[in-house]
Every structure is written in structure tokens, then in C-alpha cells.
Amino acid sequence: MAKIIDGKYLAEEILTRVKSETARLQQHGRQPGLAVILVGADPASVLYVASKSRKASACGFHSRTIRLEDTVSQDEILEQIRQLNADEAVHGLLVQLPLPKHIDTQTIVQAIAPEKDVDGLTYSNAGRLASGGSGGFTPCTPAGIMYIVRHIHGDDLSGLDAVIVGRSNIVGKPTAALLLAANATTTIAHSRTRDLPEVIRSADILVAAAGQAEMIKGSWIKPGATIIDVGINRIPASRHSGEKTRLAGDVEFDTASIIAGHITPVPGGVGPMTIAMLMANNLTAAYRAAGADVPELS
Ligand code: GUN
């Protein structure tokens, strides 16, 4: 039976450091500021943004949420970004994704000043990560995944096979860069991969970020593997539960947890780590803006 990784506990370790280093920066008269732009009212996005804002306030940050109608024009969003790029009280700025169909996501994301891009999605930050450069921002979910992986396997993944299912800019590709930098033999699988079960069977470390509820079955998993489930999918609940829906990961937890060595639950695994890493990135942005040495947060 797998050990269940407590993402909330690990996230609290990071948040404790963020809070004390925020207090230290505030002694020098500087308060970190985080701004989040939310376009429209996608229910999941509304919940995620509220949770980021709550956590930012709990860390001692100034937190601002800019809500825009889903009919807003691309130019209006760009104007908001220009103002926030120039606002010295704002150290980190992100636009919650996905955006409505009439908006070009890359145009919006690339307008964010790289030094405030706490999601790590601008070309400058993504390029630094891909080339092994320091001084940028690592996307929050991949940073959280690596914190969990280091907790279990240590810093050096030499000799281990890692498989990521999913090739998004926000999770799959940056996670691959980080696993590779830590010496894992790294494969990115995706919806067009031939014989996905066979590829997954080779994984000592499996990162599931495909966005399809319970698509990865226990019988595909290598005995003793570490399973990091990034999926957050809402599916119908079983009839006896009394609930209409429940959250499920991309991995079938009940069958996988019998075979795996370690597994993250959904919810309570990767989710809290993502938010903790966003707070760490935002504090890093504030320290850099102050010209101060950035403390070790994760
Ligand atoms: N939507 C889902 N996850 C994320 C994230 O980490 N950042 C942004 N900006 N949007 C998201």
C-alpha cells in the first residue's frame, strides 16, 4: 500500500518560511504585493483566484484581484497589465487561465513584465528554465511537484525514469525541464503517444497532468513508483455518497495506491503546493525589487 503524500503539510512548511521572510521584509518598510486578473466567471477559476487571494493575505501580502467581464476586449486586458506592470506596489502579477476564446492567451501572457511573472510563463522565464539559467521564475505547479519529488527521492534523480503525461506550457514542459535538470531520464507522453500503459510502466516517477479523470489505471503502474497526480477533475459521485459530484485526479487512486510506493491524493496533494509556490515566487519578486538577497524558501 502506497504512502499518501500530505500536500497540505508540505505546503505549510513553505508557507511558514514565506510568512517569516515576509515579516523580515516588512521590517524594512516593504510589503509584497500580488495582483491577479480574472476574466469571466468560470467556477473553478473563481475558486482558485479566491484561494490565491486568501493565502496572499494570510502571508502578509497586499492582495488585489481585478475582475473583468468575459466580454472584455483584449486591449482592455492589455491596458490593465500595463498599469500593473508599472505599479510599484505590485511585485507579482498573473492572469488566471483559461481565458475566453476571443482573447489570444499568448498575447496576454507575454505582456506581463518578466520580473513580475510569478507564473513563469513569459518567454524570458520559460527560456531561462529550459536553458538551466537562474534568476527567473519557475511555474508554481512544477515547482511544487519538484518539492514533493525531492522530499521522497532527494536532490539527485540519477538512474530514475520519470514519465510526464501532458505537454502543457504550464505543467508538462516545465516539469520535464526540472526533472531533467535533476538527472532523471525524462519522457513526455501525451494524447498521441503509442501504448501509453507501456510507457507509464517504465516510470519510477509518474507525473499525471493530462486533465482526464482517472485515465491512468493501477495496472499500468510500476510497483513502488512515485505518483504525482496533477489532475483536478469534477466527476459524478457514487450514489451512496450523498453528494452529486466529487473531485478526481488523472490517476485511478483506489487501484494505483495498492501498487505505488508514494501517491498524492486529489484534493490535498499538488493543489496546496501550487499555491504555496506562488506565494514563494511572489515573495522572491518582492525581495528582488527591493534589491535584497532572496531567502531560500523551498
Ligand atoms: N489556471 C490553472 N492553473 C493556473 C495557474 O497555475 N496559473 C494561471 N495563471 N492560471 C491557471
Side-chain angles (χ1 to χ4, degrees):
M1 204 60 190
K3 279 207 175 110
I4 296 174
I5 300 161
D6 187 345
K8 277 194 205 162
Y9 177 85
L10 294 177
E12 278 307 319
E13 284 185 353
I14 298 161
L15 291 167
T16 301
R17 284 194 285 276
V18 168
K19 285 174 192 169
S20 75
E21 296 296 346
T22 299
R24 201 162 65 85
L25 190 64
Q26 273 174 332
Q27 283 166 3
H28 296 87
R30 291 174 184 265
Q31 186 184 25
L34 174 67
V36 178
I37 298 179
L38 171 61
V39 182
D42 170 68
S45 292
V46 169
L47 282 179
Y48 294 147
V49 168
S51 154
K52 288 173 187 180
S53 164
R54 232 181 296 118
K55 202 56 90 179
S57 300
C59 287
F61 300 173
H62 164 70
S63 162
R64 207 183 301 171
T65 302
I66 295 96
R67 287 200 66 161
L68 302 171
E69 298 287 329
D70 60 5
T71 51
V72 72
S73 73
Q74 187 159 296
D75 282 346
E76 285 170 274
I77 306 175
L78 289 173
E79 180 50 34
Q80 276 292 341
I81 293 173
R82 268 191 287 276
Q83 285 178 25
L84 294 164
N85 279 345
D87 188 335
E88 287 184 3
V90 172
H91 302 100
L93 163 59
L94 68 90
V95 179
Q96 187 67 23
L97 304 177
L99 287 166
K101 292 217 163 45
H102 67 284
I103 308 287
D104 182 61
T105 300
Q106 281 299 353
T107 302
I108 296 299
V109 166
Q110 301 309 329
I112 297 169
E115 67 276 14
K116 297 192 178 188
D117 168 31
V118 283
D119 257 341
L121 294 175
T122 56
Y123 295 141
S124 151
N125 284 317
R128 271 183 210 244
L129 178 62
S131 315
S134 59
F137 290 106
T138 302
C140 307
T141 299
I145 291 169
M146 292 309 291
Y147 191 90
I148 294 172
V149 168
R150 279 197 304 276
H151 176 75
I152 297 166
H153 295 278
D155 291 343
D156 185 2
L157 307 179
S158 294
L160 295 176
D161 287 324
V163 173
I164 301 147
V165 185
R167 52 176 155 173
S168 67
N169 289 332
I170 200 159
V171 181
K173 286 183 226 168
T175 302
L178 291 165
L179 287 164
L180 201 53
N183 302 322
T185 302
T186 303
T187 302
I188 303 184
H190 48 78
S191 55
R192 307 293 176 91
T193 295
R194 174 155 38 101
D195 203 349
L196 187 60
E198 199 50 37
V199 175
I200 287 176
R201 255 178 223 119
S202 72
D204 301 300
I205 299 168
L206 174 70
V207 178
Q212 270 197 56
E214 299 179 338
M215 67 168 291
I216 295 170
K217 310 298 177 192
S219 61
W220 304 4
I221 283 165
K222 181 173 179 172
T226 296
I227 311 296
I228 313 281
D229 192 348
V230 182
I232 305 180
N233 310 286
R234 195 157 276 289
I235 61 170
S238 69
R239 266 192 293 136
H240 350 278
S241 71
E243 305 285 335
K244 282 211 174 81
T245 64
R246 68 177 175 94
L247 290 180
D250 290 353
V251 177
E252 197 176 70
F253 187 87
D254 290 350
T255 53
S257 57
I258 297 168
I259 316 261
H262 293 83
I263 188 165
T264 60
V266 177
V270 174
M273 299 300 292
T274 296
I275 297 202
M277 289 302 178
L278 174 63
M279 301 305 134
N281 276 354
N282 198 62
L283 183 58
T284 296
Y287 265 86
R288 286 182 188 157
D293 287 343
V294 178
E296 191 76 47
L297 298 168
S298 64

